[in-house]
Amino acid sequence: MIPAAFEYHRPQDMAGVLAVLEEHGDDARVMAGGHSLIPMMKLRMADVPHLIDLQDVGGLSDIAVDGASIRIGALVTQADIIDHQALAAAAPILREAALQIADPQVRYMGTVGGNVANGDPGNDMPGLMQCLDATFTLVGTGGERDVPARDFYEAAYMTAREDDEVLTAVTIPLPSGGYAYEKQKRKIGDYATAAAAVQITKSGGTCASAAIAMTNLSDTPIYSDAAGAALVGTTLDDAALKAAVAAMLNDIDPTEDNRGPIAFKKHVAGVILRRAIERAWSRA
Amino acid sequence: MKDEVDTREDRVANLKGMGCSRKRVEDARFTQGKGNYVDDIKLDGMLFGDFVRSPYAHARITSINTEAALKVPGVLAVLTAADLEPLGLHWMPTLAGDKQMVLADGKVLFQGQEVAFVVAEDRYAAADGIELVEVEYEELPVIVDPFEALQSDVVLREDLVGEDGSIPAGAHGPRKHHNHIFTWEAGDKAPTEEVIANAEVVAEESMYYHRTHPCPLETCGCVASMDKVNGKLTLWGTFQAPHAIRTVVSLISGIEEHNIRVISPDIGGGFGNKVGAYPGYVCSVVASIVTGKPVKWIEDRMDNLMTTAFARDYHMTGKISATKEGKITGLHCHVTADHGGFDACADPTKFPAGFMNICTGSYDIPTAFLEVDGVYTNKAPGGVSYRCSFRVTEAVYFIERMIEVLAIKLNMDAAELRRINFIKKEQFPYTAALGWEYDSGDYHTAWEKALTTVDYEGLRAEQAQRVEDFKAGKTRKLMGIGLSFFTEIVGAGPVKNCDILGLGMFDSCEIRIHPTGSAIARLGTISQGQGHATTFAQILASEIGLSADSITIEEGDTDTAPYGLGTYGSRSTPVAGAATAMAGRKIRAKAQMIAAYLLEVHDNDVEFDVDRFVVKGAPEKFKTMKEIAFAAYNQAIPGLEPGLEAVSYYDPPNMTYPFGAYVCVMDIDVDTGVPEIRRFYALDDCGTRINPMIIEGQVHGGLTEALAVALGQEIAYDDMGNVKTGTLMDFFLPTAWEVPNYETDFTVTPSPHHPIGAKGVGESPHVGGVPCFSNAVQDAFRPFGNTHTNMPHDHWRIWRTANELGLHD
Ligand SMILES: Cc1cc2nc3c(=O)[nH]c(=O)nc-3n(C[C@H](O)[C@H](O)[C@H](O)COP(=O)(O)OP(=O)(O)OC[C@H]3O[C@@H](n4cnc5c(N)ncnc54)[C@H](O)[C@@H]3O)c2cc1C
């Protein structure tokens, strides 16, 4: 498990990064924590003749929480997310999810930007960000643009990001209500058999809004509008839960792998979503 | 001051001998990253070799082109079978009497098979060279199912079929089909069939013990260094049996044995994975001879999982008969054993299915019959073991499942069924229906202690309530109580019936006492994490009266250590431990004569007391072992040679039979298939306990591996023979997170024939643990009609069981 030879670049600013990207086109790739990219290179499944390390680029490691939104720099690690008190108060689902990603060693290296930019359907943060209706900021030689997380994912490892663009930040509108990130996995450090991100608001006794996204159950994260809609206006009785699960099952398209066959995954997806909704509701 | 030190209790404590939870002397270097493993060895000018491996499970090789690879800067040579053939090294013997390709000779038989060996200045250049070796394959039909293999026209091993299509006999007798390896039988066929045909109750079950892998932390590897000036070959490697490797290397290479030095440095776990001889060893040696430079070969994790010795892959069918009251009358077992492309097991020659004939377990079963068919398929060779002495894990799993299945048939409690069938204490030594003579045991005492400690009755009551609650819709979790009672057979073994490739399975210890009263002892075994340097010093301390802290234990260098068959199958303590005690006794015998001379009394008038010889009846007159050691070297004693040394080669009279009683309590989420281990109790009887802390560590480790195997760890293949679980992403290695708190306990039934009564413990927890975890899962579903489901019990398979039993709406 030794990668093919590559050139290592370590620019000091974004201009330097973009210059290398421009020069080498899709022969160049940025690296953040390296905990998805390096394993792929070692398996020789990713061939990266020019590797651009982002670690020395300033201004990408901040977490800012204000009255309306949260802004997370691309190089913020999963461990930073867990440790940040203001963030945990403002959007506790982020910590709940981050604690279920990989193991502490990986979380010290793995970044939010890498996790959402990677495009691996197994990553937990893409679904999480869709649930929270986050926006990704991309910078390229042509300038800066924002893409909603819900529009970002096209297929496995295919996203709206152009090859010469770098993801610099994730912006999340301040969430409210109850939340839950529920994930079934085979062991610590495993990607999800099924995972659900749920954010619910309550008004009187009924559900005012619900955002639901599922992980590792299709070749992209699945934001299930219909599942959320099935809950709105209900008291989250059994019928509403069943309707939400049915709507979600309609949106996912799991494949068989070592975790199990499709029927199992669908069943577990339903159970996991139900539990997530119930937990989120209890916190709403 | 002196008086204080001199109390007998203090003297015993100072020895740190047997029974003391002495801290492991190895850990100072391991915990500081100061171990010295094969990959830590760096020699001047050392090259690195690595393999081009087959992507196909069965294919003919039509051409190999190495031109482009040889152009990679740093690549020096690419070896193929054609290069090894003139040396007669393109094939090598396996430890099971078969032969195996070193490099693919015209065809490949499993995915990952070694096709060419790229030798380069460093491992990076080797990796680049591997990419550029062009191999053309012509795919052949793939067989991954042994039952299909026995029906198929496809010939996997053309080298084992005559020109006229005849099937010559193999190393273990006649073969029934071109893909068949051997049939091995034990016990009485006709009487067993008759007992079962006429029995009041018969339970039958088929079970598959899936293929898995020991996956030691350190993968396999070696460094070969041929010194062309003096003609000496030095081979460092991850060898569980360095002397056997030396002999095998000598036999296949023609290099005289005195010119070969094999060294096993620190080994990061073996579990049987490092017993066999691998193509990497042969290729490294050849490459070193060809280049005149040292050559290193180290597997990566995928190589290790996909190609080196796997474990299990046994399809077992059983019939067990009993009276209506539950007294077992007969047992029948048939096994179809999937050995992969070559038969590379490492069982004693006379036991091609290892000690599978221990499958009558801990029970007094009057009649039994076992038949094992070994079969070739397109999977990796191996089948060595995995913390299991020669298929004992399979045997114990089989009988512990059959007991449960019989209990269901009898509508009886499985603990009670075991109780009424255990071999009784007074029946030992007990000769089992399949031939083994169990040396000692007290099963009922262990069983009662286990059941009482866990409050078995209370657990069953709680479980019954849980079933009620489940049916009433109050919970979605079922509760399983896993029981297992195992009898191990370890310490291979008596040379009269145990050899590997003709090498007798004795073991050895050589002791030198230094003049100032410290010592070095060398053994034919090799620790891979078991703590030999700690425990063997303790055995000696008690035998010769010098503190364990003053005794160095050295293993693994064939130039210095006495010949022995190495460490696997829990044999070190039963065999080399016995040799250690016996060599110690020789030292003591000479020391006694020296003491008597110094004290001016007759030899028989002194007696050994902890760390000294005292004059009988006059304890104030004594000579300490330190004083005796000094005198042995420096005082002219009439009739005695100077020096204080001894060596013992120990051929054990019998195997040893550790046993234990395990209980697991598990909660199972019916909807997700997730099991949660609430409690695990493990009572082990390994005879005399040398170091209780090391025993506990061994039990924790073995149970954790057992948990892995039972709950998810497997080497799975698809229909094309592709390995589906070749990385740690999918191959389940539990972490602290997945592991429950283990409660350990013990009884002590010393082995009557072992010099210190010890029996070996390293494998017991794995052997007993797997059926215990599995039985817990199966037991949870028993109230809903489950009799048996195959391991591994990962989430989806548990879920499937629930689903098939109609527990999902
Ligand atoms: C053992 C193990 C277990 C894991 N388990 C989980 C898990 O359970 N859940 C989970 O979600 N993840 C898991 N991961 C992945 C881990 O969280 C990664 O760290 C994460 O997916 C990627 O983050 P990174 O910073 O390491 O990205 P890198 O590996 O550096 O990059 C990943 C990809 O994203 C691109 N990229 C990175 N940063 C940017 C950027 N700013 N702009 C544009 N493109 C960028 C890279 O070019 C590359 O293609 C696991 C990893 C390991 C090794």
Side-chain angles (χ1 to χ4, degrees):
Chain A
M1 288 203 252
I2 288 171
F6 58 86
E7 206 63 50
Y8 178 74
H9 304 264
R10 198 174 173 112
Q12 302 299 303
D13 53 28
M14 190 53 76
V17 175
L18 295 177
V20 184
L21 278 174
E22 195 174 17
E23 188 184 342
H24 296 288
D26 59 6
D27 270 357
R29 273 240 214 140
V30 297
M31 178 178 77
H35 271 50
S36 287
L37 186 54
I38 291 175
M40 299 284 275
M41 290 170 67
K42 286 177 140 189
L43 291 166
R44 297 200 175 208
M45 283 157 76
D47 183 18
V48 184
H50 292 273
L51 186 69
I52 312 168
D53 193 335
L54 293 179
Q55 293 297 335
D56 281 356
V57 177
L60 297 177
S61 303
D62 300 323
I63 298 175
V65 183
D66 66 28
S69 69
I70 298 165
R71 191 178 158 89
I72 301 172
L75 285 191
V76 167
T77 64
Q78 292 142 20
D80 295 335
I81 297 274
I82 293 166
D83 290 345
H84 201 281
Q85 295 309 328
L87 188 63
I93 192 172
L94 290 174
R95 177 187 275 178
E96 183 161 300
L99 279 168
Q100 295 179 68
I101 291 178
D103 54 56
Q105 280 177 307
V106 173
R107 297 198 292 253
Y108 282 122
M109 294 302 295
T111 66
V112 173
N115 201 298
V116 299
N118 193 27
D120 183 330
N123 281 134
D124 286 290
M125 289 198 163
L128 178 67
M129 294 307 170
Q130 289 190 335
C131 168
L132 293 172
D133 199 13
T135 302
F136 301 153
T137 303
L138 305 172
V139 175
T141 35
E144 197 177 274
R145 66 183 178 120
D146 286 339
V147 181
R150 292 177 191 174
D151 296 337
F152 190 71
Y153 298 94
E154 294 165 354
Y157 301 103
M158 306 277 284
T159 66
R161 186 180 63 83
E162 299 296 335
D163 282 343
D164 62 356
E165 286 181 310
V166 178
L167 193 152
T168 52
V170 176
T171 308
I172 304 168
L174 217 54
S176 59
Y179 66 93
Y181 194 80
E182 182 87 19
K183 174 177 176 181
Q184 179 166 340
K185 55 187 171 182
R186 294 170 298 179
K187 59 175 175 181
I188 205 79
D190 191 20
Y191 292 93
T193 301
V198 176
Q199 194 81 40
I200 295 184
T201 57
K202 197 189 244 180
S203 167
T206 61
C207 170
S209 72
I212 290 172
M214 307 299 292
T215 290
N216 219 12
L217 293 160
S218 287
D219 68 346
T220 62
I222 294 295
Y223 176 70
S224 180
D225 224 349
L231 299 179
V232 176
T234 74
T235 54
L236 264 73
D237 54 4
D238 191 52
L241 286 169
K242 280 203 172 105
V245 166
M248 176 276 292
L249 289 175
N250 217 19
D251 286 341
I252 62 169
D253 183 18
T255 50
E256 173 164 354
D257 59 20
N258 286 324
R259 293 180 182 82
I262 293 167
F264 164 69
K265 288 193 175 180
K266 286 191 162 169
H267 188 111
V268 168
V271 174
I272 292 298
L273 176 57
R274 209 185 159 101
R275 287 180 188 173
I277 293 171
E278 281 167 352
R279 196 160 75 236
W281 184 243
S282 74
R283 288 162 165 171
Chain B
M1 175 74 198
K2 190 164 191 307
D3 280 354
E4 272 170 46
V5 174
D6 266 349
T7 71
R8 193 166 189 283
E9 223 169 64
D10 283 344
R11 291 193 282 122
V12 170
N14 287 343
L15 275 190
K16 301 194 183 167
M18 292 211 297
C20 156
S21 280
R22 181 183 184 221
K23 284 191 182 159
R24 295 184 4 139
V25 297
E26 294 91 341
D27 289 346
R29 68 177 189 280
F30 292 153
T31 54
Q32 295 178 60
K34 294 284 190 320
N36 185 39
Y37 298 90
V38 174
D39 206 15
D40 294 321
I41 293 168
K42 293 185 178 69
L43 304 176
D44 271 355
M46 188 173 73
L47 306 177
F48 194 88
D50 204 353
F51 287 108
V52 175
R53 294 181 180 276
S54 170
Y56 299 108
H58 196 199
R60 220 169 280 295
I61 293 181
T62 53
S63 75
I64 302 179
N65 185 341
T66 61
E67 245 171 72
L70 285 167
K71 286 193 187 129
V72 172
V75 171
L76 302 177
V78 181
L79 300 178
T80 64
D83 301 307
L84 299 182
E85 190 169 359
L87 308 167
L89 292 176
H90 56 319
W91 287 72
M92 64 178 181
T94 70
L95 298 181
D98 193 4
K99 54 181 182 153
Q100 173 179 357
M101 290 179 216
V102 173
L103 290 172
D105 184 19
K107 76 183 277 190
V108 288
L109 285 161
F110 61 93
Q111 187 183 49
Q113 187 176 333
E114 301 80 0
V115 174
F117 191 64
V118 176
V119 185
E121 279 165 4
D122 56 50
R123 62 182 83 196
Y124 304 97
D128 290 341
I130 287 168
E131 288 273 287
L132 295 178
V133 174
E134 292 160 25
V135 185
E136 274 177 36
Y137 298 93
E138 195 180 284
E139 286 183 69
L140 295 169
V142 173
I143 305 179
V144 290
D145 173 32
F147 298 99
E148 187 194 331
L150 289 178
Q151 303 297 324
S152 174
D153 293 338
V154 177
V155 178
L156 299 181
R157 292 286 300 274
E158 281 131 356
D159 60 299
L160 299 181
V161 177
E163 303 248 308
D164 56 350
S166 62
I167 301 163
H172 308 289
R175 295 160 59 224
K176 296 177 197 165
H177 179 270
H178 50 251
N179 296 327
H180 181 247
I181 310 173
F182 63 82
T183 298
W184 186 64
E185 292 182 358
D188 303 316
K189 187 170 188 194
T192 304
E193 283 170 355
E194 199 185 313
V195 164
I196 291 173
N198 299 321
E200 290 175 0
V201 180
V202 179
E204 294 188 43
E205 194 55 69
S206 290
M207 57 192 88
Y208 175 48
Y209 197 147
H210 60 288
R211 179 178 277 234
T212 183
H213 194 282
C215 194
L217 268 185
E218 178 204 29
T219 60
C220 300
C222 71
V223 177
S225 179
M226 183 75 199
D227 184 331
K228 290 201 171 168
V229 177
N230 64 17
K232 288 214 182 249
L233 170 70
T234 308
L235 185 60
W236 289 263
T238 49
F239 307 130
Q240 290 182 238
H243 285 95
I245 290 283
R246 186 183 71 189
T247 302
V248 170
V249 169
S250 175
L251 289 174
I252 66 176
S253 71
I255 302 171
E256 277 197 88
E257 213 168 340
H258 76 107
N259 277 332
I260 302 171
R261 179 179 184 188
V262 174
I263 301 173
S264 296
D266 282 331
I267 297 185
F271 314 114
N273 186 238
K274 294 168 179 168
V275 172
Y278 294 121
Y281 306 158
V282 179
C283 289
S284 302
V285 170
V286 172
S288 178
I289 293 172
V290 170
T291 61
K293 297 197 167 158
V295 176
K296 179 186 275 186
W297 164 71
I298 303 284
E299 290 176 327
D300 67 22
R301 181 61 59 193
M302 289 174 77
D303 296 340
N304 181 255
L305 285 173
M306 288 173 63
T307 68
T308 43
F310 73 91
R312 328 280 185 249
D313 217 343
Y314 256 34
H315 298 261
M316 306 183 280
T317 303
K319 283 187 200 143
I320 189 164
S321 62
T323 64
K324 288 199 295 282
E325 293 73 36
K327 187 81 193 78
I328 301 171
T329 55
L331 179 72
H332 188 286
C333 176
H334 181 271
V335 180
T336 301
D338 187 340
H339 284 232
F342 305 97
D343 185 10
C345 291
D347 300 314
T349 306
K350 290 181 191 139
F351 299 91
F355 303 154
M356 184 64 199
N357 58 336
I358 193 79
C359 67
T360 51
S362 315
Y363 312 102
D364 185 12
I365 302 181
T367 326
F369 178 67
L370 164 72
E371 186 182 40
V372 182
D373 282 302
V375 183
Y376 291 120
T377 61
N378 290 121
K379 298 185 189 169
V384 172
S385 61
Y386 177 0
R387 213 171 182 134
C388 132
S389 8
F390 312 117
R391 306 287 187 184
V392 181
T393 311
E394 288 89 326
V396 171
Y397 185 73
F398 170 78
I399 186 65
E400 289 306 286
R401 283 301 305 141
M402 289 310 293
I403 290 284
E404 296 281 323
V405 170
L406 179 62
I408 291 167
K409 188 98 186 182
L410 289 162
N411 195 21
M412 195 169 166
D413 179 82
E416 177 62 14
L417 180 60
R418 285 179 173 84
R419 187 183 283 125
I420 61 180
N421 285 289
F422 281 142
I423 301 161
K424 295 187 188 70
K425 188 179 174 186
E426 55 277 14
Q427 286 175 280
F428 292 95
Y430 171 87
T431 304
L434 295 178
W436 295 110
E437 188 190 293
Y438 294 27
D439 65 349
S440 58
D442 183 357
Y443 301 163
H444 283 100
T445 301
W447 197 229
E448 296 317 323
K449 188 171 184 188
L451 298 183
T452 310
T453 310
V454 301
D455 180 22
Y456 181 68
E457 299 298 320
L459 287 172
R460 283 291 176 209
E462 185 188 345
Q463 184 188 37
Q465 182 59 47
R466 183 74 73 84
V467 171
E468 290 309 309
D469 290 349
F470 183 86
K471 287 180 176 162
K474 290 189 207 156
T475 176
R476 294 296 292 163
K477 285 191 179 171
L478 294 175
M479 176 178 161
I481 303 168
L483 304 174
S484 100
F485 195 100
F486 65 92
T487 295
E488 255 267 71
I489 169 168
V490 303
V495 174
K496 64 178 187 285
N497 58 11
C498 288
D499 71 272
I500 289 186
L501 277 188
L503 309 175
M505 297 182 75
F506 61 83
D507 227 291
S508 58
C509 175
E510 186 188 277
I511 305 169
R512 285 184 198 173
I513 310 291
H514 305 315
T516 49
S518 64
I520 182 164
R522 297 188 171 99
L523 293 90
T525 45
I526 174 72
S527 188
Q528 306 126 36
Q530 295 91 335
H532 289 181
T534 308
T535 44
F536 287 132
Q538 291 182 252
I539 295 176
L540 262 189
S542 293
E543 292 292 343
I544 64 176
L546 295 175
S547 168
D549 289 343
S550 302
I551 301 170
T552 296
I553 300 290
E554 206 180 87
E555 303 173 300
D557 183 341
T558 58
D559 265 11
T560 56
Y563 204 97
L565 264 261
T567 294
Y568 45 88
S570 285
R571 65 186 297 281
S572 298
T573 295
V575 192
T580 304
M582 297 308 268
R585 286 171 197 181
K586 290 183 189 177
I587 297 276
R588 209 162 77 189
K590 184 167 177 183
Q592 179 163 5
M593 292 190 259
I594 297 170
Y597 173 80
L598 297 174
L599 291 163
E600 298 179 3
V601 294
H602 191 272
D603 287 356
N604 291 337
D605 292 336
V606 292
E607 62 188 356
F608 187 67
D609 180 45
V610 186
D611 59 351
R612 62 191 58 185
F613 277 95
V614 298
V615 175
K616 284 181 190 165
E620 71 288 356
K621 290 189 187 156
F622 64 85
K623 287 287 169 193
T624 65
M625 285 300 292
K626 269 180 182 281
E627 293 169 319
I628 294 167
F630 199 79
Y633 285 91
N634 301 312
Q635 198 156 341
I637 302 172
L640 281 185
E641 285 180 2
L644 197 50
E645 298 189 5
V647 56
S648 168
Y649 284 79
Y650 188 80
D651 178 9
N654 190 4
M655 313 288 267
T656 61
Y657 298 79
F659 59 91
Y662 293 176
V663 183
C664 173
V665 185
M666 202 183 266
D667 293 309
I668 290 180
D669 184 328
V670 168
D671 294 318
T672 58
V674 176
E676 198 182 311
I677 299 150
R678 198 202 306 172
R679 188 164 184 195
F680 199 101
Y681 169 87
L683 178 151
D684 272 281
D685 191 321
C686 57
T688 303
R689 292 157 57 85
I690 300 164
N691 181 322
M693 187 169 67
I694 284 192
I695 292 172
E696 193 173 8
Q698 288 292 313
V699 172
H700 283 206
L703 287 175
T704 300
E705 288 178 330
L707 175 149
V709 172
L711 299 185
Q713 187 177 81
E714 66 176 322
I715 296 290
Y717 287 82
D718 68 13
D719 291 344
M720 298 302 294
N722 299 307
V723 180
K724 297 199 289 179
T725 51
T727 75
L728 297 185
M729 184 58 81
D730 285 306
F731 184 85
F732 174 43
L733 270 195
T735 66
W737 191 265
E738 285 82 25
V739 173
N741 180 43
Y742 300 121
E743 298 165 50
T744 57
D745 202 348
F746 61 96
T747 54
V748 177
T749 311
S751 167
H753 62 78
H754 188 279
I756 58 168
K759 294 183 175 178
V761 76
E763 306 178 326
S764 292
H766 194 136
V767 166
V770 175
C772 191
F773 287 111
S774 180
N775 281 346
V777 174
Q778 320 252 14
D779 183 68
F781 293 108
R782 177 175 167 174
F784 302 90
N786 173 62
T787 43
H788 175 80
T789 62
N790 284 328
M791 296 186 292
H793 306 294
D794 56 3
H795 297 173
W796 91 259
R797 288 177 176 98
I798 291 178
W799 175 87
R800 181 180 58 183
T801 302
N803 197 263
E804 285 170 359
L805 293 172
L807 303 183
H808 301 140
D809 43 37

